[in-house]
Amino acid sequence: MNELWQRYQDWLYYHAALGLYLDVSRMRFEASLLASLEPRFVRAFQEMDALEKGAIANPDENRMVGHYWLRAPELAPTAELQRAIVAGIEQIEAFVQKIHSGALHPPLAPKFTDILSIGIGGSALGPQFVAGALAPQKPPLGIHFIDNTDPAGIDRVLDGLKDRLGRTLVLVTSKSGGTPEAHNGMVEVQHAYQVQGLDFGRHALAITMPNSRLDSLARSQNWLERFAMFDWVGGRTSELSAVGLLPAALQGIDIRAMLAGARQMDEATRLASIRGNPAALLAMSWYYGSDGRGSKDMVVLPYKDSLLLFSRYLQQLVMESLGKEKDRDGQLVRQGIAVYGNKGSTDQHAYVQQLREGVPNFFLTFIEVLEDRQGPSIELEPGVTSGDYLSGLLQGTRQALYENRRDSITLTISRVDPRSVGAIIALYERAVGFYGSLVNINAYDQPGVEAGKKAAASILELQKRILQVLQSSAQPMPLATLAQKAGTPEQIEAIYKIVRHLEANRRGVALAGDRSRPDSLLVSVG
């Protein structure tokens, strides 16, 4: 045990100003791992320095990656960019002050009371995580999200807001304005406003690229305000841009403190030293824990209810950044680290049993918060509070897993507040970048996501052709005939699923025949 205690002290990282600890001592790497990775980290530090100075980091889109400038505008490579960042924050603060004071209010109410945020991916996951972590019990405006193109999910959100729709501020977030999920959500919400006889434009804000489709729409419909997104900020690193700062500020969250925490962490993670750099320590631990090729999953267990959504936020940040088929030299590598998690101590009664005794295909990250609550706690028994139990469960689980050769990292913060949340966002952004360099993949592009969007668009085009064929035919036809007439005989399975979906939603298509044998079905206009 003394040996473990010494190892803990040898590998402990502490940031005094942030009150943040990082413990990688329960990852079983040898000190020799540092020596073997040193040349790769030299390259990683150099590449990160070049990225912050404006190097093209996403060659597919020929763009820089500058989310670090959002909390240190003076680092942006041009004076124009520096001014744009500063002006963006000032615009947010001025607008939010008008909303909170009632100087800017809806046509039929003295103040806005709710926010409806429409977005997808990073435009939803970051704001959801921050709202869950930091929103006060009684925020100036309560927030709601439409983050999918699921009609039932949209209905559920709109039904909950029905009586307050006239007092709801709608944030539509889309870089291009062409993202289908965000566009669909916007159209659905516009319809809900129209049904109630409300002017959607008097309730709507756009967060988008200047001169995008969404920006043009917002201008033409006289929306309340437009906030700029930057092409050099990717969705998964956009929480500290207008995407995340605007909804946070509207909820009464201190966005300057979030930016300050991220800035402090950025300063700490620029240090060209593995031992002295918490993001480098994380990247090294991930490399060891997954054999540098994603052979094990990353399980994230925050021991705090307010951090429940942190694992979902990290899923996108880590998996979209690191899940790549080819490396930067074009070699097939199929890299990535799968991320999942819920929260402690809920998971003591869920999947920790498998983590301790089942397949050892993971490493853990415990997130510990030292402050139990604001104010004193009652004693459940002499000298023991609810927070003591939570802390004991974390420590006990960590020890039990280590004894069974399950590795873990522990990240500890003093409390969940805007500064600490900004800091951990920045910490993981930098760790992802370092890990990408270690395994020679581009952490800043996402070709798989674009491929999925293109495939979805092709299915919708196929649906249009199918409907044209059916509407021009007076007779029911087998699926094979329908596929032939649509000019896509190789897509018969996709056609079957399209017509089945259309029929289920009473969209003018009928199926007849043995449904356990799709090839026996006859399709007609119904």
Side-chain angles (χ1 to χ4, degrees):
M1 189 59 66
N2 286 338
E3 186 177 322
L4 270 182
W5 170 236
Q6 188 58 53
R7 181 175 173 83
Y8 174 81
Q9 295 181 84
D10 289 345
W11 288 102
L12 180 65
Y13 173 86
Y14 176 58
H15 193 296
L18 290 168
L20 179 145
Y21 303 77
L22 179 65
D23 164 28
V24 299
S25 67
R26 287 339 187 238
M27 301 294 288
R28 285 181 170 79
F29 57 79
E30 300 289 340
S32 58
L33 179 65
L34 269 73
S36 67
L37 290 179
E38 187 69 38
R40 300 191 192 196
F41 267 109
V42 169
R43 181 180 69 175
F45 293 138
Q46 291 172 343
E47 289 176 348
M48 188 63 70
D49 181 62
L51 180 142
E52 287 198 313
K53 289 177 178 175
I56 297 298
N58 186 337
D60 291 346
E61 301 175 27
N62 192 37
R63 65 175 174 86
M64 302 178 291
V65 173
H67 47 274
Y68 299 109
W69 310 331
L70 296 170
R71 48 266 195 175
E74 70 278 7
L75 296 181
T78 69
E80 182 182 7
L81 287 180
Q82 294 170 17
R83 288 192 296 269
I85 296 166
V86 172
I89 297 170
E90 291 174 348
Q91 180 193 13
I92 289 170
E93 292 177 327
F95 179 83
V96 169
Q97 195 279 327
K98 292 178 185 177
I99 294 293
H100 287 173
S101 69
L104 187 59
H105 59 85
L108 303 177
K111 280 190 176 184
F112 287 101
T113 58
D114 293 86
I115 307 161
L116 178 53
S117 177
I118 303 171
I120 191 72
S123 298
L125 289 168
Q128 286 171 338
F129 160 53
V130 168
L134 297 176
Q137 287 295 321
K138 295 181 180 179
L141 289 85
I143 194 165
H144 318 268
F145 293 92
I146 290 178
D147 63 350
N148 199 1
T149 189
D150 172 16
I154 293 170
D155 287 348
R156 187 177 302 115
V157 174
L158 290 174
D159 286 347
L161 282 170
K162 184 174 293 183
D163 296 335
R164 305 193 304 281
L165 208 59
R167 305 194 305 273
T168 297
L169 194 62
V170 182
L171 278 59
V172 184
T173 305
S174 175
K175 181 176 278 191
S176 67
T179 306
E181 295 91 341
H183 175 77
N184 296 352
M186 179 191 70
V187 173
E188 293 264 9
V189 173
Q190 282 180 317
H191 175 71
Y193 273 82
Q194 184 179 14
V195 167
Q196 290 197 22
L198 299 169
D199 181 353
F200 179 73
R202 299 288 298 275
H203 298 77
L205 313 173
I207 306 174
T208 187
M209 287 272 292
N211 302 314
S212 71
R213 274 174 49 184
L214 178 58
D215 189 50
S216 299
L217 178 69
R219 283 201 310 269
S220 67
Q221 296 183 353
N222 296 313
W223 289 15
L224 290 175
E225 190 71 277
R226 308 185 324 274
F227 296 87
M229 296 175 75
F230 303 112
D231 68 344
W232 38 266
V233 177
R236 56 190 176 275
T237 56
S238 64
E239 175 54 29
L240 297 178
S241 72
V243 170
L245 296 180
L246 177 60
L250 286 166
Q251 294 169 84
I253 296 167
D254 185 347
I255 61 172
R256 292 282 181 174
M258 286 179 63
L259 290 167
R263 183 185 181 108
Q264 285 180 286
M265 182 54 70
D266 286 342
E267 291 167 354
T269 54
R270 288 190 186 102
L271 183 67
S273 160
I274 302 175
R275 280 182 176 269
N277 184 322
L281 285 172
L282 275 181
M284 180 192 70
S285 298
W286 297 354
Y287 187 93
Y288 170 79
S290 66
D291 300 317
R293 52 187 176 83
S295 62
K296 293 185 179 181
D297 301 339
M298 184 193 306
V299 180
V300 180
L301 291 182
Y303 275 66
K304 206 67 173 177
D305 287 358
S306 60
L307 298 180
L308 169 64
L309 296 180
F310 189 50
S311 58
R312 285 188 63 200
Y313 172 77
L314 286 183
Q315 276 183 335
Q316 184 190 21
L317 177 64
V318 174
M319 296 177 72
E320 191 168 274
S321 298
L322 303 181
K324 302 296 163 62
E325 183 176 51
K326 295 181 179 179
D327 66 15
R328 293 182 294 192
D329 300 320
Q331 300 299 310
L332 185 67
V333 291
R334 294 199 173 96
Q335 273 286 355
I337 301 176
V339 179
Y340 66 91
N342 185 20
K343 67 177 179 180
S345 66
T346 299
D347 292 326
Q348 312 291 133
H349 305 276
Y351 55 73
V352 167
Q353 166 64 31
Q354 176 169 315
L355 296 184
R356 187 174 193 275
E357 298 185 5
V359 183
N361 61 345
F362 64 91
F363 61 95
L364 283 100
T365 298
F366 293 102
I367 311 291
E368 178 184 27
V369 181
L370 295 179
E371 182 179 84
D372 292 337
R373 57 158 50 107
Q374 293 183 357
S377 292
I378 64 168
E379 292 188 353
L380 307 178
E381 55 190 81
V384 179
T385 67
S386 296
D388 296 337
Y389 268 103
L390 189 65
S391 178
L393 288 163
L394 187 158
Q395 293 185 55
T397 302
R398 173 176 174 269
Q399 182 61 27
L401 290 167
Y402 185 77
E403 288 172 353
N404 220 26
R405 300 196 63 79
R406 270 61 171 170
D407 288 346
S408 68
I409 299 163
T410 302
L411 175 66
T412 301
I413 56 177
S414 299
R415 61 189 61 83
V416 180
D417 61 16
R419 187 176 294 269
S420 65
V421 168
I424 62 175
I425 287 172
L427 172 62
Y428 278 87
E429 285 176 350
R430 187 85 67 169
V432 162
F434 284 153
Y435 185 88
S437 291
L438 293 185
V439 298
N440 195 35
I441 56 99
N442 189 337
Y444 304 108
D445 62 359
Q446 52 277 343
V449 175
E450 298 307 316
K453 290 178 182 178
K454 292 176 182 176
S458 70
I459 291 293
L460 294 176
E461 285 299 318
L462 178 60
Q463 178 173 304
K464 292 176 184 177
R465 291 205 300 276
I466 290 166
L467 288 172
Q468 289 171 353
V469 170
L470 289 172
Q471 289 162 359
S472 64
S473 174
Q475 299 296 323
M477 66 183 77
L479 284 166
T481 302
L482 177 57
Q484 193 71 40
K485 290 190 173 184
T488 54
E490 74 286 354
Q491 290 190 278
I492 189 168
E493 182 178 337
I495 291 172
Y496 161 65
K497 291 183 177 180
I498 288 170
V499 296
R500 184 180 65 179
H501 177 255
L502 292 171
E503 184 200 40
N505 288 279
R506 300 173 292 281
R507 300 272 299 284
V509 171
L511 298 175
D514 182 354
R515 291 177 185 264
S516 69
R517 293 185 56 246
D519 60 354
S520 74
L521 295 174
L522 294 177
V523 189
S524 62
V525 175

